[in-house]
Amino acid sequence: MNNEELSSGRIPRQGAGVLPEPTLRRLPWYLAYLSTLRRQKVEYVSTTRIADELKVAPSQIAKDLSFLGIKGKTRIGYSVEDLEQSLGQFLGFTQRHNAVMLGVGSLGAALIADSGLQRYGLNIVAGIDIDAERIGTKINAVEVYAPDCLPELARAMNISIAVLAVPVDSAQEVANHAISCGIPAIWNFTPTRIVAPAEIVVSNTSIYSHLAVMYNRLGNIPSR
Amino acid sequence: MNNEELSSGRIPRQGAGVLPEPTLRRLPWYLAYLSTLRRQKVEYVSTTRIADELKVAPSQIAKDLSFLGIKGKTRIGYSVEDLEQSLGQFLGFTQRHNAVMLGVGSLGAALIADSGLQRYGLNIVAGIDIDAERIGTKINAVEVYAPDCLPELARAMNISIAVLAVPVDSAQEVANHAISCGIPAIWNFTPTRIVAPAEIVVSNTSIYSHLAVMYNRLGNIPSR
């Protein structure tokens, strides 16, 4: 891999150490709840109230928030607006992260169309597909290109995340191609495991394995 | 909750105990790889080969597969076709599970349009939305109804899974409504935590918290 290409795709962030993954999964819950409170014009919130709403231990919440260097005030708690803003910044949701969608079949096209991702800082700037009929078309103003355009796109558009939504048979190969283009993170939506060098960030959103877990649990609801 | 309604939405499954979640997350990887091998006309596969491809220890694979009561043959390994079929059945992907999409905004509509879910046994039979302009419309032949239709729909269409893709402010309330209609599982795509009685299956696909993890890891790629 070319280091220069890799660094061109890197997002500089400051102040955030590598956090435990469970903390990183809980912080967005707090953020979502704070946004709700803000819309309800609530000004201050205690860990106890967050704990009651989200069923997380108050001590865990205080510990999670301490990673942000934020402490609540005795008796008053946290300022809803300040904490919401700090959390959003800390989680990277308020920055723009340019991404490319690899595979614009039904799931890929659907993810491009989901405006929620944009609100959480993911800016899908291009799609890639091997299907000649898709190349040159646009999905919600996002243009679809041929795979051989990826090296140039990754550089020119400062792409830091490749969202993987290709058929499973070509998933690893397509991920390898993205990595060779200097894209430092793969967000894997395919049902297979993606193997990548240690310096590459791989995040798996295994929609289908969540289904498997749910089906299994459903099959085991005791009869009444 | 009405038990009769609950049981009408229940999917009877046999032979599968409650599996450890890590096993349930790995099994779909094996299934995806087996499907690839079958399409490549490979007849037998060893745990070593699966291990090499997916970077999972061979002993772990053997242990995971032992939950299915399947053992490989010495020197020959597993029959690709048989193992693929057993895994698909075991994971519930070959059965149909009727689901309702709660909220057909950008993400909800996108998930309805994703034909991949259908291939993995999720059959979205109806959508629910509060927006009068959406009610009565169809997304890929899936009709959108008003919330007060849910009790009747849940019963008539034997719905076992409510897919939650509403705005975060109403997520818990909408989940409560689905549960009160006897739907035994909630698949939560919102960024908040859903609190539910112990007998309800809640599966979280926290797309946005995966983004937070990825942004955090990206911010900590050491400079070179």
Side-chain angles (χ1 to χ4, degrees):
Chain A
M1 191 183 333
N2 183 320
N3 278 349
E4 204 180 309
E5 280 182 3
L6 184 70
S7 45
S8 78
R10 202 180 301 154
I11 303 161
R13 295 209 30 235
Q14 284 163 349
V18 170
L19 255 66
E21 200 158 318
T23 294
L24 277 169
R25 291 188 185 280
R26 280 187 300 265
L27 292 176
W29 295 344
Y30 309 154
L31 178 59
Y33 182 50
L34 287 159
S35 304
T36 298
L37 289 175
R38 188 199 12 100
R39 283 187 289 265
Q40 291 168 354
K41 316 277 184 213
V42 175
E43 284 188 53
Y44 289 92
V45 65
S46 62
T47 42
T48 319
R49 182 162 174 186
I50 304 177
D52 279 351
E53 176 74 19
L54 302 175
K55 306 290 177 237
V56 175
S59 59
Q60 183 67 65
I61 296 171
K63 197 179 164 193
D64 288 342
L65 293 178
S66 74
F67 284 109
L68 285 76
I70 290 176
K71 281 185 185 167
K73 285 180 197 161
T74 319
R75 288 166 202 253
I76 300 175
Y78 300 91
S79 152
V80 168
E81 208 175 317
D82 290 354
L83 188 53
E84 183 194 16
Q85 201 169 19
S86 303
L87 266 172
Q89 271 174 13
F90 184 82
L91 291 170
F93 293 159
T94 57
Q95 295 166 255
R96 285 161 65 97
H97 305 79
N98 287 348
V100 62
M101 177 62 62
L102 303 179
V104 294
S106 73
L107 180 61
L111 290 169
I112 291 175
D114 175 19
S115 56
L117 294 173
Q118 184 88 36
R119 281 202 306 276
Y120 284 83
L122 193 80
N123 189 30
I124 302 176
V125 293
I128 298 278
D129 208 286
I130 53 165
D131 184 339
E133 295 200 355
R134 290 178 184 151
I135 295 165
T137 64
K138 285 186 178 184
I139 301 165
N140 287 29
V142 173
E143 189 157 349
V144 180
Y145 298 87
D148 56 12
C149 299
L150 188 55
E152 177 55 24
L153 283 171
R155 224 187 328 266
M157 299 181 110
N158 193 25
I159 289 169
S160 56
I161 296 171
V163 188
L164 196 62
V166 296
V168 68
D169 291 6
S170 55
Q172 182 66 56
E173 189 192 332
V174 169
N176 293 347
H177 182 220
I179 294 165
S180 77
C181 293
I183 299 175
I186 306 287
W187 192 7
N188 175 29
F189 277 86
T190 79
T192 193
R193 181 174 213 181
I194 295 300
V195 179
E199 72 271 21
I200 299 299
V201 178
V202 179
S203 180
N204 296 295
T205 295
S206 317
I207 290 187
Y208 310 110
S209 71
H210 295 172
L211 272 178
V213 172
M214 206 163 30
Y215 295 160
N216 182 265
R217 301 290 181 258
L218 269 173
N220 289 286
I221 295 176
S223 298
R224 273 175 286 201
Chain B
M1 191 179 340
N2 183 320
N3 278 347
E4 204 181 308
E5 280 184 1
L6 183 69
S7 47
S8 78
R10 201 182 300 153
I11 303 160
R13 293 205 38 228
Q14 284 162 350
V18 170
L19 255 69
E21 199 157 319
T23 293
L24 277 169
R25 292 190 185 277
R26 281 186 299 264
L27 292 177
W29 294 346
Y30 309 154
L31 178 60
Y33 182 50
L34 287 159
S35 305
T36 298
L37 290 175
R38 189 203 6 102
R39 284 187 287 266
Q40 292 168 354
K41 314 277 184 214
V42 175
E43 283 188 54
Y44 289 92
V45 66
S46 63
T47 42
T48 319
R49 182 163 173 186
I50 303 176
D52 279 354
E53 177 72 19
L54 301 175
K55 306 291 178 237
V56 175
S59 59
Q60 183 68 65
I61 296 171
K63 196 178 164 193
D64 288 341
L65 292 179
S66 73
F67 284 108
L68 285 77
I70 291 177
K71 282 187 183 166
K73 287 181 194 158
T74 321
R75 286 168 204 255
I76 299 175
Y78 300 91
S79 152
V80 168
E81 209 174 315
D82 290 353
L83 188 53
E84 184 194 14
Q85 202 168 18
S86 303
L87 266 172
Q89 273 174 15
F90 184 82
L91 291 170
F93 293 160
T94 57
Q95 295 165 256
R96 285 162 65 98
H97 306 79
N98 287 348
V100 61
M101 177 63 61
L102 303 180
V104 295
S106 73
L107 180 62
L111 290 168
I112 290 176
D114 175 19
S115 57
L117 293 173
Q118 183 88 35
R119 280 201 307 277
Y120 284 82
L122 193 81
N123 190 30
I124 301 175
V125 293
I128 297 279
D129 208 285
I130 53 164
D131 184 339
E133 295 203 354
R134 289 177 185 152
I135 295 165
T137 64
K138 286 187 177 186
I139 300 164
N140 286 31
V142 173
E143 189 157 349
V144 180
Y145 299 86
D148 57 12
C149 299
L150 189 56
E152 177 54 25
L153 282 171
R155 224 187 328 265
M157 299 181 111
N158 193 26
I159 289 170
S160 56
I161 296 171
V163 188
L164 196 63
V166 296
V168 69
D169 289 5
S170 55
Q172 182 67 55
E173 188 192 333
V174 171
N176 293 347
H177 182 219
I179 294 165
S180 77
C181 293
I183 299 176
I186 306 286
W187 191 7
N188 174 29
F189 276 87
T190 79
T192 192
R193 182 174 214 184
I194 295 300
V195 178
E199 72 272 19
I200 300 297
V201 177
V202 179
S203 180
N204 296 294
T205 295
S206 319
I207 290 187
Y208 310 111
S209 71
H210 295 171
L211 272 177
V213 173
M214 204 161 35
Y215 295 160
N216 183 265
R217 300 290 180 256
L218 268 173
N220 288 288
I221 294 176
S223 299
R224 270 173 288 201

